[in-house]
Amino acid sequence: MVYFSLRWLFVLIGAIFAAVAIELFLLPNNIIDGGIIGISLILNQLSSINFGLLVFIINLPFLYIGYKHLGKGFFIYSLLGIVGLAVTEAILHQFHFAPITDTPLLATIFGGLLLGIGVGIVIRNGGAMDGTEILSLIITKRLPFTVGECVLVFNLFVFAWAAFVFGIENAMYSVLTYYVAAKAIDTVVEGLDATKAVMIVSSHYEELTTIITQRLGKGVTRLKAQGGYEGDKKDVLYVVVKRMEIIQLKKAIYAVDKHAFFTIIDAHESRGSTFKQKEDH
């Protein structure tokens, strides 16, 4: 029960962050984000209908789709986030708070950052505040496109509409806002301390294993492989490190084998007793 209460609290906090970004940064400067939030911001300017009401109504069919395909929990947390966003934005609008800045670039960067943090908190706790991702998940099951490609195509139309309503310059600021918000969402959802997966091919695998485990304190997995051209047997080392430890790992590799081949891959999430235990020491 406490766990669910905390998740509800975090979803509401995320919704409040998003509402502050929209009401005090983006709306006063005619800057939008992508997706349903972007459409609601445009319609708000064209019709003067409250933004919170618009974002709630437009998201309703997507919430229903999410309930059918992603479950009751997703529906509840998404509904809580959207209602929290709508209510908070309406309250802020009612009190006519002065915008934080009237400089478009500052509004773009800080508004996008705050919006991304808010949306990211909601996503991390099992909900969503924008129906485009839900719709994209359904589309990708029927068409050969990724979720990212579907969202991008959808947002191209949103930003083209924004250029028609607000002008080219504001539309460009809106694209930048979307980019900043997307990066902030990734950071919140994946965590500040991103990890990297490194695969190393070297004939000095024994020495590398020793130096990585003893000096860097990292677990190493040895994979058996075979060269595609000559067919010779190889040992490939697989190790997961924090982003800030990449330089140390490179130095360790070059100290043993200057001709080693290695590949560094983004690891969006790393879990497991071996990795965590090493980090605790």
Side-chain angles (χ1 to χ4, degrees):
M1 186 66 182
V2 175
Y3 175 69
F4 283 106
S5 298
L6 285 174
R7 289 183 70 178
W8 293 341
L9 176 62
F10 281 122
V11 168
L12 287 175
I13 290 173
I16 291 170
F17 280 10
V20 170
I22 290 165
E23 183 64 27
L24 302 184
F25 286 93
L26 303 183
L27 268 178
N29 292 280
N30 290 329
I31 297 171
I32 70 165
D33 181 39
I36 301 303
I37 290 177
I39 291 175
S40 301
L41 288 168
I42 294 174
L43 290 176
N44 170 263
Q45 294 298 304
L46 292 176
S47 65
S48 296
I49 299 174
N50 180 265
F51 164 79
L53 181 61
L54 285 168
V55 79
F56 177 74
I57 292 174
I58 297 174
N59 266 310
L60 280 178
F62 299 105
L63 283 172
Y64 177 75
I65 294 172
Y67 176 76
K68 286 293 185 180
H69 293 271
L70 301 175
K72 183 179 178 181
F74 174 83
F75 171 79
I76 291 173
Y77 290 119
S78 298
L79 181 62
L80 180 62
I82 291 168
V83 171
L85 171 64
V87 172
T88 304
E89 194 279 334
I91 292 172
L92 292 173
H93 187 75
Q94 184 69 30
F95 282 94
H96 301 288
F97 287 105
I100 300 297
T101 179
D102 56 4
T103 303
L105 184 58
L106 290 177
T108 294
I109 295 173
F110 288 97
L113 183 62
L114 191 59
L115 177 63
I117 291 172
V119 173
I121 291 173
V122 174
I123 293 174
R124 186 166 182 137
N125 286 278
M129 287 196 296
D130 197 301
T132 52
E133 285 84 0
I134 302 171
L135 182 62
S136 298
L137 286 171
I138 307 305
I139 292 175
T140 53
K141 293 180 179 180
R142 294 168 171 79
L143 297 173
F145 300 109
T146 66
V147 173
E149 289 170 341
C150 292
V151 172
L152 178 61
V153 170
F154 183 86
N155 283 329
L156 286 176
F157 288 101
V158 175
F159 292 129
W161 190 14
F164 180 77
V165 175
F166 300 123
I168 297 294
E169 186 172 306
N170 283 73
M172 290 191 291
Y173 280 125
S174 298
V175 173
L176 182 58
T177 298
Y178 173 73
Y179 177 80
V180 173
K183 290 298 180 182
I185 291 170
D186 289 343
T187 301
V188 172
V189 173
E190 297 171 10
L192 287 169
D193 205 358
T195 55
K196 302 285 185 178
V198 184
M199 301 190 75
I200 310 164
V201 180
S202 171
S203 58
H204 302 279
Y205 57 86
E206 294 281 5
E207 296 172 70
L208 282 171
T209 300
T210 300
I211 196 171
I212 292 171
T213 54
Q214 294 183 1
R215 293 191 189 179
L216 301 183
K218 298 295 176 184
V220 178
T221 300
R222 187 183 299 173
L223 308 173
K224 296 297 182 182
Q226 183 175 350
Y229 181 68
E230 296 180 349
D232 52 330
K233 304 293 184 180
K234 295 178 181 293
D235 282 79
V236 178
L237 303 182
Y238 179 85
V239 58
V240 177
V241 297
K242 297 290 182 65
R243 179 172 51 194
M244 299 301 293
E245 296 169 327
I246 285 293
I247 299 299
Q248 291 176 281
L249 180 61
K250 285 182 178 180
K251 288 180 178 178
I253 294 171
Y254 289 137
V256 174
D257 184 3
K258 293 182 179 180
H259 302 290
F261 173 82
F262 59 91
T263 303
I264 301 173
I265 309 163
D266 286 329
H268 294 291
E269 188 169 0
S270 299
R271 294 181 181 271
S273 58
T274 303
F275 183 73
K276 293 300 180 185
Q277 286 171 2
K278 294 291 182 182
E279 297 305 311
D280 291 339
H281 294 311

